[in-house]
Short mmCIF file of all heavy atoms in Angstrom, two decimals:
data_model
loop_
_atom_site.label_atom_id
_atom_site.label_comp_id
_atom_site.label_asym_id
_atom_site.label_seq_id
_atom_site.Cartn_x
_atom_site.Cartn_y
_atom_site.Cartn_z
N ALA A 1 -0.50 10.90 3.25
CA ALA A 1 -1.80 10.95 2.58
C ALA A 1 -2.72 11.98 3.23
O ALA A 1 -3.54 12.61 2.56
CB ALA A 1 -2.45 9.57 2.59
N ALA A 2 -2.59 12.17 4.55
CA ALA A 2 -3.44 13.13 5.25
C ALA A 2 -3.12 14.56 4.86
O ALA A 2 -3.96 15.46 5.00
CB ALA A 2 -3.27 12.96 6.76
N GLN A 3 -1.92 14.80 4.31
CA GLN A 3 -1.54 16.15 3.91
C GLN A 3 -2.16 16.57 2.59
O GLN A 3 -2.21 17.76 2.26
CB GLN A 3 -0.01 16.24 3.80
CG GLN A 3 0.70 16.00 5.12
CD GLN A 3 2.20 15.93 4.96
OE1 GLN A 3 2.74 15.95 3.85
NE2 GLN A 3 2.91 15.82 6.08
N LYS A 4 -2.63 15.61 1.79
CA LYS A 4 -3.33 15.87 0.53
C LYS A 4 -2.49 16.75 -0.40
O LYS A 4 -2.97 17.74 -0.95
CB LYS A 4 -4.68 16.52 0.79
CG LYS A 4 -5.64 15.66 1.60
CD LYS A 4 -6.97 16.34 1.81
CE LYS A 4 -7.91 15.47 2.62
NZ LYS A 4 -9.22 16.11 2.85
N THR A 5 -1.23 16.39 -0.59
CA THR A 5 -0.36 17.13 -1.50
C THR A 5 0.07 16.23 -2.64
O THR A 5 0.26 15.02 -2.46
CB THR A 5 0.89 17.63 -0.76
OG1 THR A 5 1.56 16.53 -0.14
CG2 THR A 5 0.51 18.65 0.32
N ASP A 6 0.22 16.81 -3.83
CA ASP A 6 0.68 16.06 -5.00
C ASP A 6 2.21 16.10 -5.02
O ASP A 6 2.82 17.06 -5.49
CB ASP A 6 0.12 16.67 -6.28
CG ASP A 6 -1.35 16.36 -6.47
OD1 ASP A 6 -1.80 15.32 -5.96
OD2 ASP A 6 -2.05 17.15 -7.12
N VAL A 7 2.81 15.06 -4.47
CA VAL A 7 4.27 14.95 -4.41
C VAL A 7 4.63 13.52 -4.78
O VAL A 7 3.94 12.58 -4.41
CB VAL A 7 4.80 15.29 -3.00
CG1 VAL A 7 6.32 15.11 -2.94
CG2 VAL A 7 4.42 16.71 -2.62
N GLY A 8 5.73 13.35 -5.50
CA GLY A 8 6.20 12.01 -5.82
C GLY A 8 7.11 11.49 -4.70
O GLY A 8 7.92 12.24 -4.14
N TYR A 9 6.98 10.21 -4.37
CA TYR A 9 7.77 9.61 -3.30
C TYR A 9 8.42 8.32 -3.80
O TYR A 9 7.86 7.61 -4.63
CB TYR A 9 6.90 9.28 -2.09
CG TYR A 9 6.32 10.49 -1.40
CD1 TYR A 9 5.09 11.01 -1.78
CD2 TYR A 9 7.02 11.14 -0.37
CE1 TYR A 9 4.56 12.14 -1.17
CE2 TYR A 9 6.50 12.26 0.25
CZ TYR A 9 5.27 12.76 -0.15
OH TYR A 9 4.75 13.87 0.46
N THR A 10 9.60 8.03 -3.25
CA THR A 10 10.19 6.71 -3.41
C THR A 10 9.64 5.85 -2.27
O THR A 10 9.81 6.20 -1.10
CB THR A 10 11.72 6.78 -3.32
OG1 THR A 10 12.21 7.56 -4.41
CG2 THR A 10 12.32 5.38 -3.41
N ILE A 11 8.97 4.77 -2.61
CA ILE A 11 8.27 3.95 -1.62
C ILE A 11 8.97 2.60 -1.50
O ILE A 11 9.16 1.89 -2.49
CB ILE A 11 6.80 3.76 -2.03
CG1 ILE A 11 6.11 5.13 -2.12
CG2 ILE A 11 6.07 2.85 -1.05
CD1 ILE A 11 4.76 5.09 -2.76
N ARG A 12 9.37 2.27 -0.27
CA ARG A 12 10.00 0.99 0.02
C ARG A 12 9.35 0.42 1.28
O ARG A 12 9.64 0.86 2.40
CB ARG A 12 11.51 1.14 0.24
CG ARG A 12 12.27 1.64 -0.98
CD ARG A 12 13.72 1.90 -0.67
NE ARG A 12 14.41 2.50 -1.80
CZ ARG A 12 15.61 3.08 -1.74
NH1 ARG A 12 16.25 3.11 -0.56
NH2 ARG A 12 16.16 3.61 -2.80
N LEU A 13 8.46 -0.53 1.07
CA LEU A 13 7.72 -1.12 2.18
C LEU A 13 8.06 -2.60 2.31
O LEU A 13 8.29 -3.27 1.30
CB LEU A 13 6.22 -0.96 1.98
CG LEU A 13 5.68 0.48 1.85
CD1 LEU A 13 4.20 0.46 1.51
CD2 LEU A 13 5.93 1.25 3.13
N GLU A 14 8.06 -3.08 3.53
CA GLU A 14 8.34 -4.48 3.79
C GLU A 14 7.41 -4.97 4.88
O GLU A 14 7.28 -4.34 5.93
CB GLU A 14 9.80 -4.66 4.23
CG GLU A 14 10.21 -6.09 4.49
CD GLU A 14 11.68 -6.20 4.81
OE1 GLU A 14 12.52 -5.69 4.03
OE2 GLU A 14 12.00 -6.80 5.87
N GLY A 15 6.70 -6.09 4.62
CA GLY A 15 5.79 -6.57 5.63
C GLY A 15 5.09 -7.85 5.23
O GLY A 15 5.48 -8.53 4.27
N ASN A 16 4.03 -8.16 5.97
CA ASN A 16 3.26 -9.39 5.77
C ASN A 16 2.03 -9.10 4.93
O ASN A 16 1.33 -8.10 5.14
CB ASN A 16 2.81 -9.96 7.12
CG ASN A 16 3.99 -10.30 8.02
OD1 ASN A 16 5.01 -10.79 7.56
ND2 ASN A 16 3.85 -10.02 9.31
N LEU A 17 1.76 -9.98 3.98
CA LEU A 17 0.61 -9.83 3.10
C LEU A 17 -0.56 -10.58 3.73
O LEU A 17 -0.61 -11.81 3.75
CB LEU A 17 0.93 -10.40 1.72
CG LEU A 17 0.06 -9.96 0.55
CD1 LEU A 17 0.18 -8.47 0.33
CD2 LEU A 17 0.46 -10.71 -0.71
N TRP A 18 -1.52 -9.83 4.27
CA TRP A 18 -2.67 -10.44 4.92
C TRP A 18 -3.77 -10.80 3.94
O TRP A 18 -4.55 -11.74 4.18
CB TRP A 18 -3.23 -9.49 5.99
CG TRP A 18 -2.41 -9.45 7.23
CD1 TRP A 18 -1.33 -8.65 7.46
CD2 TRP A 18 -2.59 -10.24 8.39
NE1 TRP A 18 -0.82 -8.90 8.71
CE2 TRP A 18 -1.58 -9.87 9.31
CE3 TRP A 18 -3.50 -11.22 8.78
CZ2 TRP A 18 -1.46 -10.45 10.56
CZ3 TRP A 18 -3.40 -11.79 10.03
CH2 TRP A 18 -2.38 -11.41 10.90
N TRP A 19 -3.88 -10.04 2.83
CA TRP A 19 -4.96 -10.28 1.86
C TRP A 19 -4.52 -9.68 0.53
O TRP A 19 -3.80 -8.67 0.50
CB TRP A 19 -6.25 -9.62 2.34
CG TRP A 19 -7.41 -9.69 1.39
CD1 TRP A 19 -8.23 -10.74 1.18
CD2 TRP A 19 -7.86 -8.64 0.53
NE1 TRP A 19 -9.18 -10.42 0.24
CE2 TRP A 19 -8.98 -9.13 -0.17
CE3 TRP A 19 -7.43 -7.33 0.30
CZ2 TRP A 19 -9.67 -8.37 -1.11
CZ3 TRP A 19 -8.11 -6.57 -0.64
CH2 TRP A 19 -9.22 -7.09 -1.33
N ALA A 20 -4.95 -10.30 -0.57
CA ALA A 20 -4.58 -9.80 -1.89
C ALA A 20 -5.69 -10.10 -2.89
O ALA A 20 -6.22 -11.21 -2.92
CB ALA A 20 -3.27 -10.41 -2.36
N ASN A 21 -6.03 -9.10 -3.70
CA ASN A 21 -6.94 -9.26 -4.83
C ASN A 21 -6.24 -8.64 -6.03
O ASN A 21 -6.34 -7.43 -6.28
CB ASN A 21 -8.28 -8.57 -4.56
CG ASN A 21 -9.31 -8.86 -5.63
OD1 ASN A 21 -9.00 -8.92 -6.82
ND2 ASN A 21 -10.56 -9.06 -5.23
N VAL A 22 -5.48 -9.46 -6.76
CA VAL A 22 -4.65 -8.97 -7.86
C VAL A 22 -5.48 -8.32 -8.97
O VAL A 22 -5.12 -7.25 -9.46
CB VAL A 22 -3.76 -10.10 -8.41
CG1 VAL A 22 -3.02 -9.65 -9.65
CG2 VAL A 22 -2.77 -10.54 -7.33
N PRO A 23 -6.60 -8.93 -9.43
CA PRO A 23 -7.38 -8.27 -10.50
C PRO A 23 -7.84 -6.86 -10.12
O PRO A 23 -7.90 -5.98 -10.98
CB PRO A 23 -8.56 -9.22 -10.70
CG PRO A 23 -8.06 -10.55 -10.26
CD PRO A 23 -7.16 -10.26 -9.11
N GLN A 24 -8.19 -6.66 -8.85
CA GLN A 24 -8.63 -5.33 -8.42
C GLN A 24 -7.47 -4.44 -8.01
O GLN A 24 -7.66 -3.24 -7.75
CB GLN A 24 -9.60 -5.46 -7.25
CG GLN A 24 -10.93 -6.11 -7.61
CD GLN A 24 -11.89 -6.12 -6.44
OE1 GLN A 24 -11.67 -5.49 -5.42
NE2 GLN A 24 -12.99 -6.85 -6.60
N GLY A 25 -6.27 -4.99 -7.93
CA GLY A 25 -5.12 -4.18 -7.54
C GLY A 25 -5.17 -3.73 -6.10
O GLY A 25 -4.84 -2.58 -5.79
N ARG A 26 -5.55 -4.63 -5.19
CA ARG A 26 -5.69 -4.27 -3.79
C ARG A 26 -5.02 -5.32 -2.90
O ARG A 26 -5.15 -6.52 -3.16
CB ARG A 26 -7.17 -4.12 -3.40
CG ARG A 26 -7.88 -3.02 -4.13
CD ARG A 26 -9.38 -3.20 -4.06
NE ARG A 26 -9.86 -3.24 -2.69
CZ ARG A 26 -10.98 -3.86 -2.31
NH1 ARG A 26 -11.72 -4.51 -3.20
NH2 ARG A 26 -11.35 -3.84 -1.05
N ILE A 27 -4.32 -4.85 -1.89
CA ILE A 27 -3.70 -5.74 -0.91
C ILE A 27 -3.88 -5.15 0.48
O ILE A 27 -4.14 -3.95 0.63
CB ILE A 27 -2.19 -5.96 -1.18
CG1 ILE A 27 -1.43 -4.63 -1.04
CG2 ILE A 27 -1.97 -6.59 -2.54
CD1 ILE A 27 0.08 -4.79 -1.11
N VAL A 28 -3.75 -5.99 1.50
CA VAL A 28 -3.64 -5.53 2.88
C VAL A 28 -2.25 -5.91 3.36
O VAL A 28 -1.90 -7.09 3.39
CB VAL A 28 -4.73 -6.13 3.79
CG1 VAL A 28 -4.45 -5.75 5.24
CG2 VAL A 28 -6.11 -5.64 3.36
N LEU A 29 -1.46 -4.89 3.69
CA LEU A 29 -0.07 -5.10 4.12
C LEU A 29 0.06 -4.68 5.59
O LEU A 29 -0.49 -3.67 6.01
CB LEU A 29 0.88 -4.26 3.26
CG LEU A 29 2.37 -4.49 3.50
CD1 LEU A 29 2.80 -5.85 2.95
CD2 LEU A 29 3.19 -3.38 2.85
N GLN A 30 0.80 -5.49 6.35
CA GLN A 30 1.05 -5.20 7.75
C GLN A 30 2.56 -5.17 7.98
O GLN A 30 3.28 -6.11 7.64
CB GLN A 30 0.40 -6.25 8.64
CG GLN A 30 0.67 -6.08 10.13
CD GLN A 30 1.66 -7.10 10.66
OE1 GLN A 30 1.76 -8.21 10.15
NE2 GLN A 30 2.39 -6.73 11.70
#
């Protein structure tokens, strides 16, 4: 994200869900 380039990525993340707001589409993942 710091590179600020428009590139498509395959994203595979695994972790703990600390917070979630589904209507707003926001989560905190650790």
Side-chain angles (χ1 to χ4, degrees):
Q3 297 173 355
K4 299 181 180 179
T5 56
D6 286 333
V7 178
Y9 294 90
T10 296
I11 300 169
R12 297 174 185 166
L13 301 174
E14 181 176 307
N16 300 321
L17 199 62
W18 283 86
W19 175 80
N21 187 321
V22 173
Q24 293 184 10
R26 297 162 58 206
I27 63 173
V28 172
L29 186 72
Q30 177 254 331

